[in-house]
Amino acid sequence: MTDAQNYLGKLVTIERYILEQQQAFPEATGILTNLLYDIALAAKIIASKTTRAGLAEILGSAGEENVQGEEVQKLDVFAQRTLYRLNDHTGRLAVMASEEVEDIIPIPDRFPTGPYVLVFDPLDGSSNIDVNVSIGTIFGIYRRKTLQGRGALEDVLQPGRNLVAAGYVLYGASTMLVYSTGRGVHGFTLDPAIGEFLLSHPNIKLPDKPKYYSVNQGYQPYWSLGVQAYTEWLQRDTPEKKGLSLRYIGSLVADFHRNLLSGGVFYYPADSKDPKKPGGKLRLVYEAAPLAFLVEQAGGYASDGARPILDIEPQKLHQRVPMFIGNRMLVEKAEALIRQHDVHA
Ligand code: P6P
């Protein structure tokens, strides 16, 4: 019986599923399980706000008081604070790091530290909120490297290969939480009527026949010859695949999720018109590495155009990285064409 058949017809909450996954590890202490619960709770709280974001005008815009006299926060600040407050006191973490905060985020002295490290982009694509385009939270979990006490930068600057878990929340037509602890990728859909994430996509695998390629074609004049050749290859019928359709939402989690379920490749190459982004736009630690962990668990691959994203040792907390992510065959083709056209350029 497949995973899906085994679970269909059952009301499998994320709590139950995480617990069942933990039972496969007899030595597990339950700390990672509880950390994943905390993230699921944060996702529900953030989701409750994103569905009303468009009402900010009625409810008051960020920085002002709304009709209820509450201070209205920018949604990404709210998401940041929610993830922080649900995790700062639990004794599960040694340190945190966020796209929204310049330096690492220490655990307050009044709280105990723990064995894990949480890195996250609390609300990626928040510029899309005003036009009601799906947005997302991305997270990754490492074991700490330092032995005790307050965590340090070295606990955060670990290669994605060291991740023990990663996932994302997609605030879209429905709210989904997708995660992996290294035993496959599993998707849960929030039932707002009961406030529970229910198993909806057990053991997600990239389809063998990809359908889409996702890139901001507006930057084409700035691309290298290799990326130009790659994009042209993606569009054509070839012995390996049919020509792919372009789908690009401009919201990383939404673009990634669609390609994970439908098959395809997302790429944000180094070449873009913004000289401030020589290494591309996406961040390694809390965007590319967690998604690379997930895509490999789903049978795919993620590269910076030359090597696996998961093998890159971060040097800086907010460093950017070019990224090609999706079906392995498609990503390896990008590497081959970049080697062929660009490496000697
Ligand atoms: P561009 C959103 O701002 C974001 O960080 C990602 O979610 C998205 O993939 C990318 O930027 C879109 O960037 O340059 O195509 O608008």
Side-chain angles (χ1 to χ4, degrees):
M1 184 181 281
T2 66
D3 278 17
Q5 288 160 337
N6 183 34
Y7 280 106
L8 284 184
K10 289 181 189 169
L11 202 62
V12 180
T13 64
I14 192 167
E15 283 77 5
R16 169 178 173 178
Y17 199 79
I18 293 174
L19 212 48
E20 286 177 355
Q21 292 261 309
Q22 175 195 316
Q23 278 150 14
F25 299 92
E27 73 288 356
T29 60
I31 297 176
L32 179 61
T33 293
N34 289 323
L35 175 49
L36 289 167
Y37 289 166
D38 296 339
I39 293 168
L41 177 57
K44 293 180 202 175
I45 294 169
I46 296 165
S48 70
K49 292 282 186 180
T50 55
T51 50
R52 298 188 305 144
L55 297 174
E57 297 316 307
I58 301 170
L59 301 175
S61 54
E64 295 171 356
E65 281 205 345
N66 65 18
V67 290
Q68 286 85 9
E70 300 156 346
E71 185 247 331
V72 179
Q73 297 168 352
K74 275 171 63 67
L75 211 48
D76 45 9
V77 172
F78 176 79
Q80 161 62 32
R81 287 179 181 168
T82 299
L83 279 158
Y84 174 70
R85 286 177 179 159
L86 286 184
N87 287 288
D88 67 346
H89 60 284
T90 61
R92 304 196 236 279
L93 298 177
V95 64
M96 290 183 252
S98 166
E99 191 267 349
E100 290 285 327
V101 179
E102 188 55 36
D103 298 316
I104 60 171
I105 306 171
I107 300 302
D109 291 339
R110 66 185 182 283
F111 296 133
T113 56
Y116 290 105
V117 176
L118 177 65
V119 299
F120 56 92
D121 183 352
L123 208 63
D124 177 77
S126 49
S127 55
N128 292 296
I129 293 169
D130 300 344
V131 293
N132 201 18
V133 164
S134 301
I135 49 183
T137 297
I138 307 170
F139 66 90
I141 300 170
Y142 292 95
R143 280 189 194 78
R144 69 180 302 171
K145 287 177 70 177
T146 53
L147 297 177
Q148 58 190 359
R150 304 284 141 215
L153 185 59
E154 71 177 281
D155 291 309
V156 172
L157 297 185
Q158 298 189 50
R161 205 62 78 187
N162 293 0
L163 281 163
V164 293
Y168 59 83
V169 185
L170 177 58
Y171 309 99
S174 59
T175 297
M176 278 196 72
L177 191 155
V178 177
Y179 84 91
S180 174
T181 56
R183 290 164 43 81
V185 180
H186 312 289
F188 300 80
T189 300
L190 181 65
D191 179 342
I194 59 174
E196 285 291 352
F197 278 107
L198 303 180
L199 181 68
S200 53
H201 298 71
N203 207 17
I204 299 172
K205 290 293 181 192
L206 276 161
D208 291 336
K209 292 187 184 333
K211 288 177 73 173
Y212 302 121
Y213 76 98
S214 306
V215 69
N216 184 335
Q217 206 117 11
Y219 298 151
Q220 186 141 7
Y222 308 92
W223 289 345
S224 67
L225 290 178
V227 175
Q228 302 264 7
Y230 179 56
T231 304
E232 196 271 334
W233 178 84
L234 289 168
Q235 295 162 342
R236 279 189 288 111
D237 289 357
T238 67
E240 304 94 327
K241 53 120 187 74
K242 288 284 184 200
L244 306 184
S245 296
L246 172 61
R247 289 283 188 285
Y248 190 76
I249 298 176
S251 188
L252 175 58
V253 173
D255 277 318
F256 177 81
H257 181 72
R258 182 203 49 248
N259 290 0
L260 181 69
L261 296 188
S262 304
V265 61
F266 170 98
Y267 50 115
Y268 204 106
D271 330 283
S272 69
K273 62 186 168 187
D274 186 341
K276 292 198 300 294
K277 303 174 203 162
K281 178 177 187 181
L282 303 178
R283 312 288 187 164
L284 172 60
V285 170
Y286 39 76
E287 290 176 344
L291 295 182
F293 178 86
L294 286 171
V295 84
E296 287 208 3
Q297 283 292 315
Y301 174 47
S303 168
D304 67 351
R307 57 184 166 152
I309 292 275
L310 290 180
D311 291 345
I312 302 176
E313 190 97 21
Q315 302 306 308
K316 289 195 168 44
L317 180 52
H318 299 289
Q319 83 182 57
R320 299 177 193 272
V321 66
M323 180 162 76
F324 300 74
I325 187 167
N327 288 72
R328 175 170 286 275
M329 177 271 288
L330 298 179
V331 177
E332 288 177 343
K333 185 68 175 182
E335 292 179 327
L337 288 171
I338 289 169
R339 255 193 320 272
Q340 178 185 340
H341 292 277
D342 299 349
V343 169
H344 312 299

